[in-house]
PDB file of all heavy atoms in Angstrom:
ATOM      1  N   ARG A1066     -18.956   2.463 -16.594  1.00  0.00           N
ATOM      2  CA  ARG A1066     -18.029   2.264 -15.490  1.00  0.00           C
ATOM      3  C   ARG A1066     -18.928   2.038 -14.162  1.00  0.00           C
ATOM      4  O   ARG A1066     -19.838   2.791 -13.966  1.00  0.00           O
ATOM      5  CB  ARG A1066     -17.143   3.548 -15.163  1.00  0.00           C
ATOM      6  CG  ARG A1066     -16.477   4.009 -16.395  1.00  0.00           C
ATOM      7  CD  ARG A1066     -15.161   3.230 -16.635  1.00  0.00           C
ATOM      8  NE  ARG A1066     -14.524   3.536 -17.891  1.00  0.00           N
ATOM      9  CZ  ARG A1066     -13.632   4.458 -17.917  1.00  0.00           C
ATOM     10  NH1 ARG A1066     -13.120   5.062 -16.931  1.00  0.00           N
ATOM     11  NH2 ARG A1066     -12.942   4.741 -19.146  1.00  0.00           N
ATOM     12  N   VAL A1067     -18.537   1.002 -13.366  1.00  0.00           N
ATOM     13  CA  VAL A1067     -19.273   0.749 -12.162  1.00  0.00           C
ATOM     14  C   VAL A1067     -18.342   0.358 -11.062  1.00  0.00           C
ATOM     15  O   VAL A1067     -17.269  -0.292 -11.211  1.00  0.00           O
ATOM     16  CB  VAL A1067     -20.127  -0.597 -12.492  1.00  0.00           C
ATOM     17  CG1 VAL A1067     -20.954  -0.981 -11.197  1.00  0.00           C
ATOM     18  CG2 VAL A1067     -21.081  -0.331 -13.667  1.00  0.00           C
ATOM     19  N   ALA A1068     -18.651   0.870  -9.930  1.00  0.00           N
ATOM     20  CA  ALA A1068     -17.963   0.547  -8.672  1.00  0.00           C
ATOM     21  C   ALA A1068     -19.073  -0.106  -7.780  1.00  0.00           C
ATOM     22  O   ALA A1068     -20.058   0.665  -7.375  1.00  0.00           O
ATOM     23  CB  ALA A1068     -17.337   1.646  -7.995  1.00  0.00           C
ATOM     24  N   ALA A1069     -19.094  -1.373  -7.423  1.00  0.00           N
ATOM     25  CA  ALA A1069     -20.090  -1.974  -6.707  1.00  0.00           C
ATOM     26  C   ALA A1069     -19.596  -3.235  -6.034  1.00  0.00           C
ATOM     27  O   ALA A1069     -18.629  -3.790  -6.444  1.00  0.00           O
ATOM     28  CB  ALA A1069     -21.314  -2.397  -7.578  1.00  0.00           C
ATOM     29  N   SER A1070     -20.283  -3.583  -4.917  1.00  0.00           N
ATOM     30  CA  SER A1070     -19.848  -4.792  -4.186  1.00  0.00           C
ATOM     31  C   SER A1070     -21.017  -5.286  -3.471  1.00  0.00           C
ATOM     32  O   SER A1070     -21.998  -4.611  -3.179  1.00  0.00           O
ATOM     33  CB  SER A1070     -18.547  -4.544  -3.306  1.00  0.00           C
ATOM     34  OG  SER A1070     -18.977  -3.529  -2.332  1.00  0.00           O
ATOM     35  N   SER A1071     -20.977  -6.509  -3.163  1.00  0.00           N
ATOM     36  CA  SER A1071     -21.919  -7.154  -2.224  1.00  0.00           C
ATOM     37  C   SER A1071     -21.217  -8.009  -1.242  1.00  0.00           C
ATOM     38  O   SER A1071     -20.654  -9.088  -1.682  1.00  0.00           O
ATOM     39  CB  SER A1071     -23.005  -7.893  -3.075  1.00  0.00           C
ATOM     40  OG  SER A1071     -22.452  -8.986  -3.843  1.00  0.00           O
ATOM     41  N   PHE A1072     -21.339  -7.641  -0.024  1.00  0.00           N
ATOM     42  CA  PHE A1072     -20.701  -8.457   1.137  1.00  0.00           C
ATOM     43  C   PHE A1072     -19.160  -8.542   1.029  1.00  0.00           C
ATOM     44  O   PHE A1072     -18.656  -9.531   1.462  1.00  0.00           O
ATOM     45  CB  PHE A1072     -21.361  -9.811   1.257  1.00  0.00           C
ATOM     46  CG  PHE A1072     -22.842  -9.684   1.380  1.00  0.00           C
ATOM     47  CD1 PHE A1072     -23.760 -10.166   0.378  1.00  0.00           C
ATOM     48  CD2 PHE A1072     -23.462  -9.236   2.529  1.00  0.00           C
ATOM     49  CE1 PHE A1072     -25.146 -10.102   0.579  1.00  0.00           C
ATOM     50  CE2 PHE A1072     -24.723  -9.189   2.745  1.00  0.00           C
ATOM     51  CZ  PHE A1072     -25.596  -9.551   1.722  1.00  0.00           C
ATOM     52  N   GLY A1073     -18.566  -7.681   0.252  1.00  0.00           N
ATOM     53  CA  GLY A1073     -17.112  -7.685   0.150  1.00  0.00           C
ATOM     54  C   GLY A1073     -16.605  -8.458  -1.102  1.00  0.00           C
ATOM     55  O   GLY A1073     -17.448  -9.289  -1.552  1.00  0.00           O
ATOM     56  N   PRO A1074     -15.426  -8.360  -1.447  1.00  0.00           N
ATOM     57  CA  PRO A1074     -14.556  -7.365  -1.071  1.00  0.00           C
ATOM     58  C   PRO A1074     -15.041  -5.827  -1.496  1.00  0.00           C
ATOM     59  O   PRO A1074     -15.717  -5.767  -2.487  1.00  0.00           O
ATOM     60  CB  PRO A1074     -13.264  -7.552  -1.777  1.00  0.00           C
ATOM     61  CG  PRO A1074     -13.614  -8.385  -2.979  1.00  0.00           C
ATOM     62  CD  PRO A1074     -14.892  -9.145  -2.636  1.00  0.00           C
ATOM     63  N   TRP A1075     -14.755  -4.913  -0.663  1.00  0.00           N
ATOM     64  CA  TRP A1075     -15.286  -3.579  -0.876  1.00  0.00           C
ATOM     65  C   TRP A1075     -14.623  -2.857  -1.985  1.00  0.00           C
ATOM     66  O   TRP A1075     -13.371  -3.041  -2.192  1.00  0.00           O
ATOM     67  CB  TRP A1075     -15.351  -2.871   0.426  1.00  0.00           C
ATOM     68  CG  TRP A1075     -15.869  -3.647   1.580  1.00  0.00           C
ATOM     69  CD1 TRP A1075     -15.133  -4.181   2.543  1.00  0.00           C
ATOM     70  CD2 TRP A1075     -17.169  -4.162   1.596  1.00  0.00           C
ATOM     71  NE1 TRP A1075     -15.955  -4.934   3.482  1.00  0.00           N
ATOM     72  CE2 TRP A1075     -17.170  -4.988   2.808  1.00  0.00           C
ATOM     73  CE3 TRP A1075     -18.260  -4.028   0.889  1.00  0.00           C
ATOM     74  CZ2 TRP A1075     -18.376  -5.584   3.275  1.00  0.00           C
ATOM     75  CZ3 TRP A1075     -19.493  -4.649   1.403  1.00  0.00           C
ATOM     76  CH2 TRP A1075     -19.434  -5.369   2.576  1.00  0.00           C
ATOM     77  N   GLU A1076     -15.318  -1.975  -2.661  1.00  0.00           N
ATOM     78  CA  GLU A1076     -14.823  -1.229  -3.855  1.00  0.00           C
ATOM     79  C   GLU A1076     -14.171   0.086  -3.604  1.00  0.00           C
ATOM     80  O   GLU A1076     -13.571   0.711  -4.268  1.00  0.00           O
ATOM     81  CB  GLU A1076     -15.973  -1.024  -4.854  1.00  0.00           C
ATOM     82  CG  GLU A1076     -16.408  -2.164  -5.623  1.00  0.00           C
ATOM     83  CD  GLU A1076     -15.471  -2.569  -6.783  1.00  0.00           C
ATOM     84  OE1 GLU A1076     -14.799  -1.659  -7.349  1.00  0.00           O
ATOM     85  OE2 GLU A1076     -15.316  -3.747  -7.058  1.00  0.00           O
ATOM     86  N   PHE A1077     -14.447   0.567  -2.242  1.00  0.00           N
ATOM     87  CA  PHE A1077     -14.086   1.946  -1.951  1.00  0.00           C
ATOM     88  C   PHE A1077     -13.013   1.999  -0.982  1.00  0.00           C
ATOM     89  O   PHE A1077     -12.887   1.111   0.010  1.00  0.00           O
ATOM     90  CB  PHE A1077     -15.301   2.685  -1.511  1.00  0.00           C
ATOM     91  CG  PHE A1077     -16.376   2.576  -2.523  1.00  0.00           C
ATOM     92  CD1 PHE A1077     -17.457   1.779  -2.438  1.00  0.00           C
ATOM     93  CD2 PHE A1077     -16.316   3.432  -3.678  1.00  0.00           C
ATOM     94  CE1 PHE A1077     -18.494   1.688  -3.356  1.00  0.00           C
ATOM     95  CE2 PHE A1077     -17.427   3.402  -4.642  1.00  0.00           C
ATOM     96  CZ  PHE A1077     -18.426   2.563  -4.450  1.00  0.00           C
ATOM     97  N   TRP A1078     -12.040   2.941  -1.027  1.00  0.00           N
ATOM     98  CA  TRP A1078     -11.061   3.300  -0.181  1.00  0.00           C
ATOM     99  C   TRP A1078     -11.155   4.793   0.172  1.00  0.00           C
ATOM    100  O   TRP A1078     -11.590   5.550  -0.605  1.00  0.00           O
ATOM    101  CB  TRP A1078      -9.652   2.990  -0.876  1.00  0.00           C
ATOM    102  CG  TRP A1078      -9.159   1.605  -0.677  1.00  0.00           C
ATOM    103  CD1 TRP A1078      -8.344   1.088   0.108  1.00  0.00           C
ATOM    104  CD2 TRP A1078      -9.648   0.508  -1.580  1.00  0.00           C
ATOM    105  NE1 TRP A1078      -8.140  -0.315  -0.001  1.00  0.00           N
ATOM    106  CE2 TRP A1078      -8.990  -0.658  -1.039  1.00  0.00           C
ATOM    107  CE3 TRP A1078     -10.493   0.395  -2.573  1.00  0.00           C
ATOM    108  CZ2 TRP A1078      -9.176  -1.934  -1.685  1.00  0.00           C
ATOM    109  CZ3 TRP A1078     -10.766  -0.775  -3.069  1.00  0.00           C
ATOM    110  CH2 TRP A1078     -10.065  -1.907  -2.563  1.00  0.00           C
ATOM    111  N   PRO A1079     -10.727   5.221   1.400  1.00  0.00           N
ATOM    112  CA  PRO A1079     -10.851   6.591   1.790  1.00  0.00           C
ATOM    113  C   PRO A1079      -9.895   7.354   1.052  1.00  0.00           C
ATOM    114  O   PRO A1079      -8.652   6.952   0.844  1.00  0.00           O
ATOM    115  CB  PRO A1079     -10.537   6.416   3.366  1.00  0.00           C
ATOM    116  CG  PRO A1079      -9.707   5.307   3.584  1.00  0.00           C
ATOM    117  CD  PRO A1079     -10.102   4.230   2.428  1.00  0.00           C
ATOM    118  N   GLY A1080     -10.199   8.558   0.795  1.00  0.00           N
ATOM    119  CA  GLY A1080      -9.284   9.542   0.271  1.00  0.00           C
ATOM    120  C   GLY A1080      -9.548   9.958  -1.191  1.00  0.00           C
ATOM    121  O   GLY A1080     -10.284   9.172  -1.936  1.00  0.00           O
ATOM    122  N   PRO A1081      -8.878  10.971  -1.675  1.00  0.00           N
ATOM    123  CA  PRO A1081      -9.063  11.350  -3.057  1.00  0.00           C
ATOM    124  C   PRO A1081      -8.240  10.498  -3.931  1.00  0.00           C
ATOM    125  O   PRO A1081      -7.334   9.735  -3.544  1.00  0.00           O
ATOM    126  CB  PRO A1081      -8.418  12.769  -3.048  1.00  0.00           C
ATOM    127  CG  PRO A1081      -7.369  12.785  -1.986  1.00  0.00           C
ATOM    128  CD  PRO A1081      -7.998  11.842  -0.895  1.00  0.00           C
ATOM    129  N   ILE A1082      -8.621  10.508  -5.272  1.00  0.00           N
ATOM    130  CA  ILE A1082      -7.838   9.778  -6.248  1.00  0.00           C
ATOM    131  C   ILE A1082      -7.299  10.887  -7.305  1.00  0.00           C
ATOM    132  O   ILE A1082      -7.883  11.869  -7.481  1.00  0.00           O
ATOM    133  CB  ILE A1082      -8.807   8.768  -7.085  1.00  0.00           C
ATOM    134  CG1 ILE A1082      -9.930   9.341  -7.580  1.00  0.00           C
ATOM    135  CG2 ILE A1082      -9.096   7.657  -6.144  1.00  0.00           C
ATOM    136  CD1 ILE A1082     -10.777   8.451  -8.538  1.00  0.00           C
ATOM    137  N   ASP A1083      -6.226  10.419  -8.029  1.00  0.00           N
ATOM    138  CA  ASP A1083      -5.617  11.268  -8.971  1.00  0.00           C
ATOM    139  C   ASP A1083      -6.390  11.087 -10.318  1.00  0.00           C
ATOM    140  O   ASP A1083      -7.353  10.216 -10.357  1.00  0.00           O
ATOM    141  CB  ASP A1083      -4.216  11.083  -9.076  1.00  0.00           C
ATOM    142  CG  ASP A1083      -3.779   9.735  -9.559  1.00  0.00           C
ATOM    143  OD1 ASP A1083      -4.669   8.915 -10.138  1.00  0.00           O
ATOM    144  OD2 ASP A1083      -2.574   9.371  -9.347  1.00  0.00           O
ATOM    145  N   ASP A1084      -5.986  11.693 -11.329  1.00  0.00           N
ATOM    146  CA  ASP A1084      -6.643  11.670 -12.762  1.00  0.00           C
ATOM    147  C   ASP A1084      -6.513  10.273 -13.248  1.00  0.00           C
ATOM    148  O   ASP A1084      -7.393   9.943 -14.125  1.00  0.00           O
ATOM    149  CB  ASP A1084      -6.031  12.591 -13.709  1.00  0.00           C
ATOM    150  CG  ASP A1084      -6.401  14.015 -13.335  1.00  0.00           C
ATOM    151  OD1 ASP A1084      -7.329  14.258 -12.661  1.00  0.00           O
ATOM    152  OD2 ASP A1084      -5.626  14.889 -13.772  1.00  0.00           O
ATOM    153  N   ALA A1085      -5.554   9.376 -12.770  1.00  0.00           N
ATOM    154  CA  ALA A1085      -5.492   8.020 -13.323  1.00  0.00           C
ATOM    155  C   ALA A1085      -6.268   7.063 -12.497  1.00  0.00           C
ATOM    156  O   ALA A1085      -6.296   5.798 -12.725  1.00  0.00           O
ATOM    157  CB  ALA A1085      -4.010   7.691 -13.319  1.00  0.00           C
ATOM    158  N   GLY A1086      -7.038   7.569 -11.439  1.00  0.00           N
ATOM    159  CA  GLY A1086      -7.819   6.660 -10.505  1.00  0.00           C
ATOM    160  C   GLY A1086      -7.001   6.134  -9.458  1.00  0.00           C
ATOM    161  O   GLY A1086      -7.517   5.162  -8.858  1.00  0.00           O
ATOM    162  N   ASN A1087      -5.881   6.577  -9.164  1.00  0.00           N
ATOM    163  CA  ASN A1087      -5.003   6.172  -8.053  1.00  0.00           C
ATOM    164  C   ASN A1087      -5.173   6.782  -6.741  1.00  0.00           C
ATOM    165  O   ASN A1087      -5.153   8.084  -6.732  1.00  0.00           O
ATOM    166  CB  ASN A1087      -3.610   6.017  -8.507  1.00  0.00           C
ATOM    167  CG  ASN A1087      -3.399   5.079  -9.657  1.00  0.00           C
ATOM    168  OD1 ASN A1087      -3.810   4.023  -9.799  1.00  0.00           O
ATOM    169  ND2 ASN A1087      -2.645   5.616 -10.670  1.00  0.00           N
ATOM    170  N   PRO A1088      -5.273   6.185  -5.650  1.00  0.00           N
ATOM    171  CA  PRO A1088      -5.290   6.827  -4.328  1.00  0.00           C
ATOM    172  C   PRO A1088      -4.041   7.384  -3.921  1.00  0.00           C
ATOM    173  O   PRO A1088      -2.989   7.133  -4.500  1.00  0.00           O
ATOM    174  CB  PRO A1088      -5.845   5.718  -3.342  1.00  0.00           C
ATOM    175  CG  PRO A1088      -5.229   4.475  -4.055  1.00  0.00           C
ATOM    176  CD  PRO A1088      -5.166   4.715  -5.535  1.00  0.00           C
ATOM    177  N   PRO A1089      -4.003   8.235  -2.805  1.00  0.00           N
ATOM    178  CA  PRO A1089      -2.839   8.708  -2.233  1.00  0.00           C
ATOM    179  C   PRO A1089      -1.935   7.601  -1.684  1.00  0.00           C
ATOM    180  O   PRO A1089      -2.478   6.466  -1.605  1.00  0.00           O
ATOM    181  CB  PRO A1089      -3.215   9.687  -1.198  1.00  0.00           C
ATOM    182  CG  PRO A1089      -4.627   9.161  -0.699  1.00  0.00           C
ATOM    183  CD  PRO A1089      -5.145   8.661  -1.937  1.00  0.00           C
ATOM    184  N   SER A1090      -0.693   7.924  -1.500  1.00  0.00           N
ATOM    185  CA  SER A1090       0.289   6.883  -0.949  1.00  0.00           C
ATOM    186  C   SER A1090      -0.160   6.367   0.418  1.00  0.00           C
ATOM    187  O   SER A1090       0.098   5.293   0.840  1.00  0.00           O
ATOM    188  CB  SER A1090       1.644   7.344  -1.055  1.00  0.00           C
ATOM    189  OG  SER A1090       1.804   8.393  -0.259  1.00  0.00           O
ATOM    190  N   ASP A1091      -0.806   7.275   1.098  1.00  0.00           N
ATOM    191  CA  ASP A1091      -1.245   6.919   2.483  1.00  0.00           C
ATOM    192  C   ASP A1091      -2.763   7.373   2.677  1.00  0.00           C
ATOM    193  O   ASP A1091      -2.970   8.640   2.618  1.00  0.00           O
ATOM    194  CB  ASP A1091      -0.414   7.591   3.617  1.00  0.00           C
ATOM    195  CG  ASP A1091      -0.822   7.201   4.958  1.00  0.00           C
ATOM    196  OD1 ASP A1091      -1.624   6.366   5.283  1.00  0.00           O
ATOM    197  OD2 ASP A1091      -0.287   7.917   5.854  1.00  0.00           O
ATOM    198  N   CYS A1092      -3.668   6.467   2.901  1.00  0.00           N
ATOM    199  CA  CYS A1092      -5.079   6.825   2.948  1.00  0.00           C
ATOM    200  C   CYS A1092      -5.489   7.080   4.451  1.00  0.00           C
ATOM    201  O   CYS A1092      -6.645   7.432   4.796  1.00  0.00           O
ATOM    202  CB  CYS A1092      -5.998   5.733   2.448  1.00  0.00           C
ATOM    203  SG  CYS A1092      -5.789   5.519   0.675  1.00  0.00           S
ATOM    204  N   THR A1093      -4.583   6.766   5.363  1.00  0.00           N
ATOM    205  CA  THR A1093      -4.984   6.943   6.814  1.00  0.00           C
ATOM    206  C   THR A1093      -5.622   8.260   7.208  1.00  0.00           C
ATOM    207  O   THR A1093      -6.527   8.155   7.993  1.00  0.00           O
ATOM    208  CB  THR A1093      -3.666   6.634   7.695  1.00  0.00           C
ATOM    209  OG1 THR A1093      -3.075   5.427   7.302  1.00  0.00           O
ATOM    210  CG2 THR A1093      -3.970   6.560   9.128  1.00  0.00           C
ATOM    211  N   PRO A1094      -5.083   9.411   6.801  1.00  0.00           N
ATOM    212  CA  PRO A1094      -5.829  10.644   7.295  1.00  0.00           C
ATOM    213  C   PRO A1094      -7.233  10.757   6.747  1.00  0.00           C
ATOM    214  O   PRO A1094      -8.061  11.551   7.439  1.00  0.00           O
ATOM    215  CB  PRO A1094      -4.967  11.739   6.600  1.00  0.00           C
ATOM    216  CG  PRO A1094      -3.690  11.071   6.168  1.00  0.00           C
ATOM    217  CD  PRO A1094      -3.950   9.747   6.024  1.00  0.00           C
ATOM    218  N   TYR A1095      -7.690   9.927   5.807  1.00  0.00           N
ATOM    219  CA  TYR A1095      -8.973  10.002   5.265  1.00  0.00           C
ATOM    220  C   TYR A1095      -9.889   8.935   5.843  1.00  0.00           C
ATOM    221  O   TYR A1095     -11.092   8.925   5.475  1.00  0.00           O
ATOM    222  CB  TYR A1095      -8.951   9.948   3.797  1.00  0.00           C
ATOM    223  CG  TYR A1095      -7.990  10.911   3.089  1.00  0.00           C
ATOM    224  CD1 TYR A1095      -6.806  10.478   2.592  1.00  0.00           C
ATOM    225  CD2 TYR A1095      -8.253  12.302   3.034  1.00  0.00           C
ATOM    226  CE1 TYR A1095      -5.902  11.344   2.048  1.00  0.00           C
ATOM    227  CE2 TYR A1095      -7.331  13.210   2.446  1.00  0.00           C
ATOM    228  CZ  TYR A1095      -6.191  12.693   1.997  1.00  0.00           C
ATOM    229  OH  TYR A1095      -5.243  13.559   1.461  1.00  0.00           O
ATOM    230  N   ASP A1096      -9.369   8.022   6.628  1.00  0.00           N
ATOM    231  CA  ASP A1096     -10.153   6.921   7.086  1.00  0.00           C
ATOM    232  C   ASP A1096     -11.058   7.361   8.250  1.00  0.00           C
ATOM    233  O   ASP A1096     -10.704   7.013   9.376  1.00  0.00           O
ATOM    234  CB  ASP A1096      -9.280   5.741   7.388  1.00  0.00           C
ATOM    235  CG  ASP A1096     -10.061   4.459   7.754  1.00  0.00           C
ATOM    236  OD1 ASP A1096     -11.280   4.450   7.448  1.00  0.00           O
ATOM    237  OD2 ASP A1096      -9.480   3.491   8.188  1.00  0.00           O
ATOM    238  N   GLN A1097     -11.889   8.194   7.950  1.00  0.00           N
ATOM    239  CA  GLN A1097     -12.832   8.743   9.006  1.00  0.00           C
ATOM    240  C   GLN A1097     -14.083   9.134   8.299  1.00  0.00           C
ATOM    241  O   GLN A1097     -14.355   9.128   7.151  1.00  0.00           O
ATOM    242  CB  GLN A1097     -12.294   9.859   9.692  1.00  0.00           C
ATOM    243  CG  GLN A1097     -11.855  11.065   8.854  1.00  0.00           C
ATOM    244  CD  GLN A1097     -11.071  12.072   9.760  1.00  0.00           C
ATOM    245  OE1 GLN A1097     -11.607  12.534  10.812  1.00  0.00           O
ATOM    246  NE2 GLN A1097     -10.079  12.640   9.278  1.00  0.00           N
TER     247      GLN A1097
END
């Protein structure tokens, strides 16, 4: 399993993920 990028598009989003690999419905509180 690999998460990588070069000059975008970026692989990472802010916030925790669930067991299925999905982010929360709103990542705004974690964008810091």
Side-chain angles (χ1 to χ4, degrees):
R1066 307 280 175 93
V1067 178
S1070 58
S1071 57
F1072 305 110
W1075 312 112
E1076 287 280 330
F1077 303 100
W1078 275 260
I1082 57 172
D1083 64 19
D1084 291 338
N1087 299 312
S1090 59
D1091 182 14
C1092 294
T1093 306
Y1095 309 104
D1096 191 10
Q1097 58 183 313

